[in-house]
Amino acid sequence: MDDLAAPAPASVGFTYTVAASQTLGLAVILVVGAWMGVYRGGFAWESPELQFNAHPLCMIVGMVFLQGDALLVYRIFRNESKRSTKILHGLLHALALVIALVGLIAVFEYHKKKSFPNMYSLHSWCGIAAFSFYLLQWLLGLVFFLCPGVSFSVRSRYKPQHVFFGVFLLVLSIATALLGILELLLFKIRDSYSSLVPEGVLANVLGLLLVAFGAALAYILTRDGWRRTPLAEEQALSMDFKTLTGGESPAGSP
Amino acid sequence: MDDLAAPAPASVGFTYTVAASQTLGLAVILVVGAWMGVYRGGFAWESPELQFNAHPLCMIVGMVFLQGDALLVYRIFRNESKRSTKILHGLLHALALVIALVGLIAVFEYHKKKSFPNMYSLHSWCGIAAFSFYLLQWLLGLVFFLCPGVSFSVRSRYKPQHVFFGVFLLVLSIATALLGILELLLFKIRDSYSSLVPEGVLANVLGLLLVAFGAALAYILTRDGWRRTPLAEEQALSMDFKTLTGGESPAGSP
C-alpha cells in the first residue's frame, strides 16, 4: 500500500507537452485578440461592427481554449481526488459554454442590426452543430457522472463514448474556427488577401496555431501511459466495491 | 493453441460502424462529383475552368477516402498476415498520394493559366502542410516498417507516433477540405449563397458528410476492443523472439 500511496510523478515528456499546449493556447488567444484589436477596430458591445469582434474572441476562448483545457484536468491534476477533478472538469466546460453563448449572441445581434441573413454558410452549420452537441454532451455528463443514482456499470459503459465525443467536439470546434477565419478574411479583405497583406498572414498563422493546439491536446489525451491512474484510496475503495458488487468499480468513472 | 488458431470474429458493432463509414465515404465522393458535374460544368483537363474541377474530386478521393481507408486495413483484414496487411496499407497510401498529386497539379495549372496567385489562403497553407507531412509520414513508414534492417525495438517505439500522426493527418485533410468547400462557394456563388441556393446547400451537406466520415473512422480506430490482435502464428513467433531477444516482439509493429 505504501507504493500506491505515493503520488505518481508526471513524466518529463508529459510536462513539456502540456507546457507546449498551454503556450499554443495562450498564443491563439493573443493572436485573435490582436487581429480584432489592431485590424478590426477593437471591441464594443453597443456598436454593431465592433460587437461582431466579440464573436471570434469568445468562441476561441470558450469552444477551443477552455473546452480543450477541461479535457486535460484528469491528466494534470492526477493526484487530486476524482470528485474534485470531476467538478473542475464540469465547471470549466460550463464556463466555456457561457462564454461561447456570449459569442453566439454577439454574431446573431450583429446580423440582426445589419439585416444580414443567418445560418447559411458551412461555418455556421458546423458551428451550430458543435455548440448544440457540446451542450448535449455537458448535460449527459452531468446526468451520468454527477447524479448519485447512476450505477457504476452504466457509468463505465458510457465513459468511452463521453471521452470519444469530447475529443471529437474539440476537433469540430477547431475546424469551425478555421472556417470562421477564412470566411471573415474573404468577406473583409478579399481583394488584398492574395497579396499576403499582414492581416491575412496573421489570420493564417492563427489557423496554424489552432491546428497545433488541437494536435498537442489530442496527443496528450491519447497517450496510454499518460492516463490518470486511480489513487491509493480509490484503489482500496475499488477493491471493496469489487468484493461487494462482483466486479463493478467506482474508479472506472471519469 | 487451438483457441489462438481460430480467427477472431468481428463484433456486430464493428461491422455496422465500418459499413456506415464506407457508406459515408462513397456518399462524399458521389456528392463532390455531383457538385462539380452538375453545378461547375464537369471535368476536362484541357479547359482551365474544368481542369480546376479535378482538384476537389482528386483531393477528396486521395487525401480523405483512400487515406482514411488505408488506416482501416489492420482492423478490417484482421485475419490476414501482418505482412500482407502492411503492404496493402502502404499501397493504399501510395495510391492516395498519386491521386492527390494529380489534384494538386490541376489547381496549380489552373492558377497559372488564369494568372491567379498561389499559396496565400488558409486552405492552401493547411493543404500544403497536410500533403507534405503525409508524404513524409509515408516515407518514414516505409523506412521503419518495411526496411528489413530496423530493429523491433525501434519499430515499437516509433509505432505510437506513426498511428497518432496518421489519424492527425486524416483530420487535417478533412479540415482542409472543409476550408476548400467554403472558399470555392465564396468565390463562385458569394451573392446567392446566403439565399440557401441548391449548390450552397449541396456543398454544405458535403461538408457535414466529410465530418461524419472522419468521426466514424476516428471512432473505429480508437476502440481498444477493435484493435487487431496478433494471429496464432505471430503469437508463437513473438514468444520465440521474446525468448531470443529478452522482450522484443515482431508482433508489436503495425
Side-chain angles (χ1 to χ4, degrees):
Chain A
M1 283 302 286
D2 279 350
D3 277 354
L4 282 172
S11 76
V12 176
F14 173 78
T15 308
Y16 279 114
T17 317
V18 168
S21 76
Q22 297 311 292
T23 309
L24 287 165
L26 292 176
V28 158
I29 295 174
L30 284 176
V31 173
V32 70
W35 181 17
M36 294 302 117
V38 175
Y39 296 102
R40 297 280 120 230
F43 306 91
W45 196 257
E46 297 309 316
S47 138
E49 289 290 349
L50 304 185
Q51 184 179 23
F52 170 82
N53 295 345
H55 174 68
L57 182 67
C58 288
M59 301 320 278
I60 281 181
V61 170
M63 297 291 286
V64 178
F65 184 73
L66 287 174
Q67 181 184 169
D69 273 13
L71 307 187
L72 289 190
V73 298
Y74 294 108
R75 304 292 188 284
I76 293 176
F77 302 106
R78 51 178 62 242
N79 297 316
E80 302 302 318
S81 80
K82 190 77 176 210
R83 189 162 179 85
S84 318
T85 323
K86 206 186 268 193
I87 289 170
L88 179 63
H89 178 77
L91 283 178
L92 277 175
H93 279 310
L95 185 62
L97 273 165
V98 170
I99 293 175
L101 190 63
V102 174
L104 279 181
I105 292 170
V107 72
F108 278 104
E109 284 201 357
Y110 163 72
H111 281 184
K112 195 175 174 189
K113 286 173 188 163
K114 303 282 263 185
S115 302
F116 288 160
N118 284 310
M119 296 302 308
Y120 63 87
S121 78
L122 184 56
H123 167 66
S124 63
W125 286 28
C126 288
I128 216 71
F131 184 81
S132 311
F133 284 115
Y134 185 44
L135 181 61
L136 179 67
Q137 164 97 341
W138 189 85
L139 291 170
L140 288 174
L142 194 73
V143 170
F144 277 92
F145 300 120
L146 282 169
C147 282
V150 182
S151 79
F152 296 121
S153 142
V154 169
R155 283 184 184 179
S156 59
R157 273 207 298 276
Y158 173 58
K159 187 191 159 190
Q161 316 302 323
H162 184 76
V163 171
F164 174 78
F165 283 102
V167 180
F168 167 72
L169 287 172
L170 175 68
V171 171
L172 180 59
S173 301
I174 290 174
T176 304
L178 299 181
L179 288 170
I181 292 169
L182 184 66
E183 189 172 297
L184 188 58
L185 289 170
L186 291 178
F187 281 146
K188 298 293 183 185
I189 59 159
R190 180 177 167 147
D191 295 330
S192 59
Y193 190 23
S194 62
S195 323
L196 287 171
V197 289
E199 181 178 354
V201 172
L202 184 77
N204 285 0
V205 168
L206 172 62
L208 297 186
L209 287 170
L210 281 162
V211 170
F213 176 71
L217 258 64
Y219 188 83
I220 294 166
L221 294 167
T222 52
R223 292 314 86 193
D224 283 342
W226 293 354
R227 281 188 189 171
R228 182 183 185 279
T229 45
L231 300 178
E233 58 272 25
E234 294 164 6
Q235 288 269 16
L237 189 69
S238 162
M239 282 169 212
D240 290 345
F241 264 86
K242 273 186 183 147
T243 316
L244 287 168
T245 62
E248 291 181 10
S249 156
S253 62
Chain B
M1 283 303 286
D2 278 350
D3 277 354
L4 283 173
S11 77
V12 176
F14 174 79
T15 308
Y16 279 115
T17 316
V18 168
S21 76
Q22 297 310 291
T23 310
L24 286 165
L26 292 176
V28 158
I29 294 174
L30 283 176
V31 173
V32 70
W35 180 18
M36 295 302 118
V38 176
Y39 295 104
R40 299 278 122 230
F43 306 91
W45 195 257
E46 298 308 318
S47 137
E49 291 288 349
L50 303 185
Q51 184 179 23
F52 170 81
N53 295 344
H55 174 67
L57 182 67
C58 288
M59 299 322 277
I60 281 182
V61 170
M63 294 292 286
V64 179
F65 184 74
L66 287 174
Q67 181 184 168
D69 273 13
L71 306 188
L72 289 189
V73 297
Y74 293 108
R75 304 293 187 282
I76 292 176
F77 302 106
R78 51 179 62 243
N79 297 317
E80 302 302 318
S81 78
K82 189 79 177 208
R83 191 165 176 84
S84 318
T85 322
K86 207 186 269 193
I87 289 169
L88 180 63
H89 177 79
L91 282 178
L92 277 174
H93 280 309
L95 185 62
L97 273 166
V98 170
I99 293 176
L101 191 63
V102 174
L104 280 181
I105 293 170
V107 72
F108 278 103
E109 284 202 357
Y110 163 71
H111 282 184
K112 194 176 175 188
K113 285 173 189 164
K114 303 283 261 183
S115 302
F116 288 160
N118 283 310
M119 297 302 310
Y120 64 87
S121 78
L122 184 56
H123 166 67
S124 64
W125 285 29
C126 287
I128 217 71
F131 184 81
S132 310
F133 284 116
Y134 185 43
L135 181 61
L136 180 67
Q137 163 98 340
W138 189 85
L139 291 171
L140 287 175
L142 194 74
V143 170
F144 277 93
F145 300 120
L146 283 169
C147 283
V150 181
S151 80
F152 296 121
S153 142
V154 170
R155 283 185 184 180
S156 58
R157 274 206 298 275
Y158 173 59
K159 187 190 160 192
Q161 317 302 323
H162 184 76
V163 170
F164 173 79
F165 283 101
V167 179
F168 168 72
L169 288 173
L170 176 67
V171 171
L172 180 60
S173 301
I174 290 175
T176 304
L178 299 181
L179 288 170
I181 291 169
L182 184 66
E183 188 172 299
L184 188 57
L185 289 170
L186 290 178
F187 281 146
K188 297 293 183 186
I189 60 160
R190 181 178 167 147
D191 296 331
S192 60
Y193 189 25
S194 63
S195 323
L196 288 170
V197 290
E199 180 179 354
V201 172
L202 184 77
N204 285 1
V205 168
L206 172 62
L208 296 186
L209 287 170
L210 280 163
V211 170
F213 176 71
L217 259 63
Y219 188 83
I220 295 166
L221 294 167
T222 52
R223 293 313 86 193
D224 282 342
W226 293 354
R227 282 188 188 170
R228 182 182 186 279
T229 44
L231 300 178
E233 58 272 25
E234 293 164 4
Q235 288 268 16
L237 189 68
S238 164
M239 283 170 214
D240 289 346
F241 265 86
K242 273 186 183 147
T243 316
L244 286 169
T245 62
E248 292 181 10
S249 156
S253 62

